[in-house]
Amino acid sequence: MTDRGEQGADERGERGEDERGERLATALRARLGGIGYGGDYNPEQWPEDVWADDVRLMTEAGVNLVSLGIFAWARVQPDPETFDWGWLDRVMDLLADGGVAVCLATMTASPPPWLARLHPETLPVRPDGTVLWPGARQHFTPSSQVYRDHATRLVERLATRYAGHPALAAWHVGNEYGCHVSGSYGDVDAVAFRDWLRRRYRTIDALNEAWSTTFWSQRYAAWDEINPPRQTPTFPNPAQRIDFRRFSSDALLECFLAEKEVLRRVTPDVPITTNFVPLRDTLDLHAWARHEDVVSYDSYPDPADPGAHVDAAFGFDLMRSLKDGAPWLLLEQAPAAVNWRRVNRPKAPGQMRLWSWLAVGHGADAVMFFQWRASRGGAEKYHSAMVPHAGTGTRTFREVRELGRELAAVPEIAGTRVRAPVALVLDWPSWWGLEQDGHPSGLLRQREANLAHYAPLFGAGVACDVVRPSADLSGYRLVVVPNLYMITESDAANLTGFVRAGGRLVVSFFSGVVDDRDRVHPGGAPGPLADVLGLRVAEFWPLAKGEHVDVEEAEPGWFDGGAARGSLWSEEVRLDEASPLATFASGVLAGRPAATRNRFGGGAAYYLATRPDPAAMNSVLRRVCREAGAAPDLPNLPEGAEAAVRHAEDGTRFVIVLNHDDDGPVTVPLPPGGVDPRDGTDVVAPYRLGARGVLVVRYPPSPTGSRHGGPA
Ligand code: GLA
């Protein structure tokens, strides 16, 4: 078959998988009868007489879904030849009788101690050679075939045993892949890394070229000389490190796929998911998500951080975007406090409900917790649970029960979608490249860049997807690139084509610097984005921590008061076609461009050569949104209030209004025609929403499809 033929087959295969995923996700929704609600259920930690009580309380709390047995491998398989399913059979039956569906874990996230005793080579190794021993969890290297064989053997037995069980609704593969160990540097890994590199580069010369190994005499003569980027005297080869991140993400994905293959074969009609960790640089989620039938996510915003909900919302928007807007499952959040920060503050009254609805507003079709019943022993005994140590007469259980009832009253929201006029670009390999050593500044962080650009959009109420640089951008009015340090020619062509076709593009500094092998693009930044941005960067002038540079408008209307302060970065920009919107007003770059616009094709591309202060970022992004025609779903909301909209296929809209303010009520100017979906009563505007309040309003399809009678 030609390459083209193979590519066609791949694409057809991918489409087939997408269609199957969509069908299975729809079936799961139908089975749950609305939004999924529940949590991690670990009955193996409790005597059997507690189980019946668990199921009774689950019914009371409105639980319709639990993630079962995530850490039960050692209990199910106490030695390599013994399987003990009896207890799990009884739990599954109890849950089925209680009407609680099960997202059954494949149990492979924490191998039993006998695996390490018999096969110490399955243990992961740090860059300095330290072995990570059993005694916690996730103590396996993904490259170990022995681990994979034991895992798939267990999964085969598990799937065969519970195929057709009335409680089985979905598969929960592993748990938070890469959470504690995102890469392993041992001998087993070295062999697998070399195989991966051979597949990628075919010849050692191609690898030497890709890794720029003529530098510092690193040229390899044979594959066996190559190792994972272990502890080195000074900066390790950056291209090697990026490839190792790619390899490590792929190695974990191979573990997931090996289990998936078994599950698909034995239970073809059961949807498969794995819960992603709160947004991190570990896995390339764009590569992972297409292999899941439904995307799921764990979210742990810090109740002590007043901006935590914005960060959480960013993760939610990413989850929704990973499968082109398909609803996703919030599989874990804390009912109150976690136990892994230095000081663990519980969620304030109403905060758990508020942040649960935040997830639904941003596309979640399930609201679940870690965990159902608080553990008595073990490392997580101080982590909150739906049923706390103090029992059901607690604020936490009351809030859990009330939220269960509330979600059950609006089943029609499940399956509806968010529509976003703006996309923000995020790419994992670029993230890995950005944060390496030996750069002009060690202060640049992808997450901070994302949030600096996302927060103004969130504050303005403009819905935003989070997409890969190669995504189809044609449906968006505005695309924001907080940082794309690494960019390929084809991704640059995608962004350029978007602007040519009439879109607006915002790009911030230190973007378009290197290619996918971490080699600087000829001519330097912004590399293949130079045309669309209409400029070149001559020299970087990064700013020290706490250092600022003054910025003033060159064209009026960009900053409130006409001026701003830049931090983190500045640079000497040479304009080609672009015109300055603002200039530096202090320091060595005084008088030179700090923000620019380039009218290009039918659209325009904007560039920020520094990080304007938050107020200035707000005014810049609001202005660009206006120029792009990217409107908020509900205009004129008071500070602290948010309105997220989910659209049903028939044109019905659910507006989820949230008051993120801890202190006081807000008055929300809702459009007429909305009803409270819980009882069908009219919602009268303006509506007064208390601190941490939530209001859900349903708007019928407008007869003309116009914006009258409800939000856009
Ligand atoms: C993660 C894990 C859970 C639990 C929680 C605690 O999300 O998946 O098993 O450890 O953290 O917050």
Side-chain angles (χ1 to χ4, degrees):
M1 213 189 255
T2 63
D3 279 359
R4 231 191 136 94
E6 272 168 23
Q7 193 186 338
D10 277 0
E11 275 166 17
R12 277 195 301 282
E14 217 170 281
R15 256 203 314 280
E17 269 297 283
D18 282 352
E19 279 160 20
R20 179 202 281 266
E22 218 170 299
R23 179 168 58 75
L24 296 183
T26 307
L28 176 63
R29 212 156 36 234
R31 155 131 199 203
L32 296 176
I35 305 277
Y37 191 61
D40 282 17
Y41 183 35
N42 300 308
E44 67 276 14
Q45 295 177 13
W46 294 94
E48 279 204 44
D49 57 355
V50 176
W51 301 350
D53 205 38
D54 282 335
V55 177
R56 182 182 60 78
L57 289 176
M58 284 177 191
T59 314
E60 193 183 318
V63 167
N64 59 7
L65 182 66
V66 292
S67 304
L68 179 64
I70 297 174
F71 297 103
W73 190 349
R75 175 76 192 262
V76 155
Q77 195 182 6
D79 65 65
E81 299 317 320
T82 311
F83 287 89
D84 174 9
W85 300 110
W87 68 275
L88 191 56
D89 291 351
R90 294 193 289 284
V91 176
M92 289 286 283
D93 292 349
L94 267 175
L95 290 165
D97 292 346
V100 179
V102 171
C103 183
L104 186 55
T106 59
M107 306 182 177
T108 51
S110 190
W114 54 255
L115 187 67
R117 178 169 50 84
L118 298 174
H119 300 286
E121 76 282 8
T122 59
L123 295 173
V125 178
R126 287 206 173 127
D128 67 356
T130 307
V131 174
L132 302 175
W133 294 94
R137 62 178 175 185
Q138 231 173 67
H139 44 277
F140 63 87
T141 165
S143 297
S144 163
Q145 193 55 44
V146 175
Y147 163 77
R148 290 185 193 183
D149 289 346
H150 280 276
T152 47
R153 181 165 167 249
L154 171 69
V155 174
E156 181 98 36
R157 299 261 187 141
L158 180 78
T160 310
R161 187 164 193 95
Y162 296 107
H165 191 287
L168 179 65
W171 289 113
H172 179 296
V173 179
N175 187 64
E176 290 199 337
Y177 277 98
C179 169
H180 308 299
V181 180
S182 58
S184 175
Y185 298 75
D187 293 341
V188 169
D189 312 297
V191 172
F193 186 39
R194 288 171 202 145
D195 284 348
W196 184 92
L197 291 168
R198 237 183 245 119
R199 287 197 298 275
R200 184 172 174 83
Y201 295 111
R202 290 170 201 269
T203 68
I204 197 90
D205 284 347
L207 175 136
N208 278 311
E209 172 71 18
W211 286 9
S212 306
T213 56
T214 46
F215 177 80
W216 278 356
S217 178
Q218 291 170 356
R219 199 170 174 80
Y220 293 101
W223 294 100
D224 285 356
E225 294 168 1
I226 302 169
N227 280 311
R230 293 174 175 160
Q231 207 74 38
T232 45
T234 183
F235 304 137
N237 182 308
Q240 177 189 10
R241 285 181 71 197
I242 295 170
D243 267 350
F244 189 71
R245 305 292 303 254
R246 291 185 173 110
F247 156 77
S248 299
S249 177
D250 282 359
L252 284 162
L253 180 58
E254 282 168 18
C255 292
F256 170 83
L257 291 175
E259 294 190 23
K260 178 182 167 182
E261 186 278 319
V262 177
L263 298 171
R264 192 62 106 212
R265 175 163 43 76
V266 182
T267 56
D269 294 325
V270 179
I272 295 170
T273 191
T274 184
N275 51 336
F276 292 141
V277 285
L279 182 61
R280 289 242 208 111
D281 63 348
T282 44
L283 307 178
D284 180 350
L285 296 191
H286 290 307
W288 274 69
R290 66 191 176 90
H291 298 289
E292 293 191 285
D293 294 322
V294 54
V295 166
S296 50
Y297 189 52
D298 299 345
S299 171
Y300 289 95
D302 184 356
D305 171 3
H309 60 288
V310 183
D311 193 27
F314 182 85
F316 299 162
D317 288 344
L318 169 66
M319 290 305 120
R320 183 184 71 237
S321 311
L322 285 175
K323 266 186 161 328
D324 294 331
W328 53 279
L329 312 177
L330 177 62
L331 227 48
E332 286 184 29
Q333 62 170 337
V338 298
N339 70 315
W340 40 262
R341 293 194 173 97
R342 193 154 173 77
V343 174
N344 297 294
R345 187 184 296 182
K347 288 177 179 167
Q351 201 159 39
M352 183 272 281
R353 173 183 180 232
L354 177 71
W355 288 354
S356 298
W357 277 106
L358 178 71
V360 175
H362 289 252
D365 264 8
V367 173
M368 316 254 303
F369 299 90
F370 176 85
Q371 62 177 331
W372 166 250
R373 187 183 280 280
S375 304
R376 285 194 60 196
E380 294 188 316
K381 57 184 169 298
Y382 297 117
H383 196 292
S384 62
M386 299 167 81
V387 182
H389 293 137
T392 53
T394 47
R395 169 179 82 91
T396 295
F397 189 73
R398 261 195 315 279
E399 289 190 21
V400 161
R401 193 173 45 205
E402 279 159 21
L403 180 61
R405 289 202 185 126
E406 189 171 60
L407 290 169
V410 283
E412 327 85 274
I413 291 185
T416 59
R417 294 199 172 213
V418 173
R419 288 185 196 154
V422 179
L424 186 146
V425 173
L426 175 63
D427 181 57
W428 269 267
S430 179
W431 185 348
W432 297 329
L434 173 72
E435 297 187 5
Q436 299 222 47
D437 319 313
H439 279 201
S441 168
L443 299 180
L444 303 190
R445 292 287 170 271
Q446 185 71 55
R447 286 191 65 139
E448 186 270 332
N450 296 342
L451 269 186
H453 293 74
Y454 177 79
L457 298 166
F458 182 91
V462 179
C464 176
D465 286 344
V466 181
V467 304
R468 64 202 306 168
S470 60
D472 175 1
L473 303 173
S474 56
Y476 299 109
R477 290 179 168 276
L478 168 63
V479 170
V480 178
V481 178
N483 177 279
L484 203 50
Y485 162 70
M486 177 186 291
I487 195 167
T488 60
E489 297 280 347
S490 71
D491 289 345
N494 190 38
L495 295 169
T496 304
F498 166 73
V499 179
R500 186 176 291 117
R504 310 276 156 158
L505 176 72
V506 174
V507 177
S508 270
F509 56 83
F510 209 47
S511 289
V513 187
V514 297
D515 64 14
D516 62 347
R517 291 157 182 205
D518 204 37
R519 292 178 306 197
V520 173
H521 282 293
L529 291 175
D531 266 1
V532 70
L533 292 171
L535 54 83
R536 283 265 168 212
V537 177
E539 193 166 30
F540 304 133
W541 283 88
L543 302 177
K545 215 176 186 138
E547 193 184 355
H548 292 104
V549 63
D550 294 327
V551 178
E552 63 190 17
E553 288 174 347
E555 186 183 298
W558 285 90
F559 307 130
D560 292 340
R565 290 216 303 177
S567 63
L568 208 55
W569 192 266
S570 62
E571 60 190 13
E572 185 192 334
V573 169
R574 300 239 167 110
L575 300 182
D576 292 330
E577 306 300 323
S579 9
L581 301 173
T583 51
F584 291 111
S586 63
V588 282
L589 297 175
R592 293 186 173 274
T596 65
R597 177 176 51 210
N598 188 35
R599 298 194 192 279
F600 183 90
Y606 307 77
Y607 184 72
L608 299 177
T610 184
R611 171 69 38 73
D613 59 84
M617 281 299 275
N618 265 334
S619 67
V620 167
L621 279 161
R622 280 176 198 238
R623 165 95 187 244
V624 175
C625 278
R626 274 200 308 279
E627 290 193 4
D633 283 311
L634 218 66
N636 308 322
L637 283 183
E639 188 75 23
E642 181 198 353
V645 183
R646 291 189 61 166
H647 300 257
E649 255 174 29
D650 70 357
T652 304
R653 286 141 302 160
F654 295 89
V655 181
I656 295 156
V657 190
L658 308 170
N659 180 6
H660 292 291
D661 196 327
D662 279 338
D663 299 324
V666 288
T667 302
V668 186
L670 287 166
V675 297
D676 183 335
R678 289 170 305 186
D679 54 15
T681 54
D682 291 343
V683 175
V684 183
Y687 192 92
R688 195 161 177 276
L689 197 57
R692 299 191 203 104
V694 175
L695 171 71
V696 182
V697 193
R698 186 180 62 218
Y699 287 90
S702 63
T704 55
S706 78
R707 296 178 61 168
H708 298 294

